[in-house]
Amino acid sequence: MSTAPPPTGDDLVRVLATLANPHRLRVVAALARERAYVSGLARQLGISRALLQVHLRKLAAAGLVTARLELSEDGKAMNYYEVEPFVLTLTPAIIAAAVETLTVPDSGEQPGAPR
């Protein structure tokens, strides 16, 4: 039996939107294998550090990764990232319950959205 509370609608939207990007999926997959520092992870994934940091910030904001600053042997500060353990189970019932807690307006209520 799961002890984790069901996700709120806003949590579900945030996590799914964050994972709906191939670069972020690759970052999660790489960090699932082993924790890594930004420069090494950027080289491994073949993307710039600046782009990687954008994706890492979004993953961290969604609670999917965490960072820890560590000093290397030569005294250089290095930010190591690792995946936060998570399980995402989606069923129609879970989605229906999450929708009841949404505070994010639907597309018809967003400024500039077609009506």
Side-chain angles (χ1 to χ4, degrees):
M1 180 173 190
S2 175
T3 59
T8 67
D10 295 344
D11 289 342
L12 189 57
V13 167
R14 186 179 70 251
V15 168
L16 291 176
T18 300
L19 291 174
N21 179 287
H23 288 301
R24 290 193 284 272
L25 286 177
R26 290 174 59 219
V27 169
V28 170
L31 293 176
R33 289 187 291 275
E34 65 181 334
R35 72 189 190 108
Y37 63 99
V38 173
S39 295
L41 186 57
R43 280 192 301 275
Q44 179 185 346
L45 297 175
I47 61 177
S48 72
R49 287 186 322 174
L51 179 60
L52 175 59
Q53 289 176 333
V54 167
H55 291 303
L56 287 168
R57 277 193 297 275
K58 289 184 182 199
L59 287 164
L64 300 172
V65 302
T66 56
R68 185 173 49 211
L69 195 60
E70 296 181 14
L71 292 179
S72 66
E73 290 180 9
D74 63 355
K76 182 178 178 182
M78 300 173 72
N79 231 351
Y80 277 88
Y81 284 84
E82 56 191 349
V83 172
E84 279 295 307
F86 66 91
V87 173
L88 183 59
T89 303
L90 288 179
T91 65
I94 289 171
I95 292 170
V99 164
E100 296 299 320
T101 66
L102 278 173
T103 61
V104 177
D106 65 28
S107 63
E109 297 173 7
Q110 292 179 359
R115 296 189 188 250

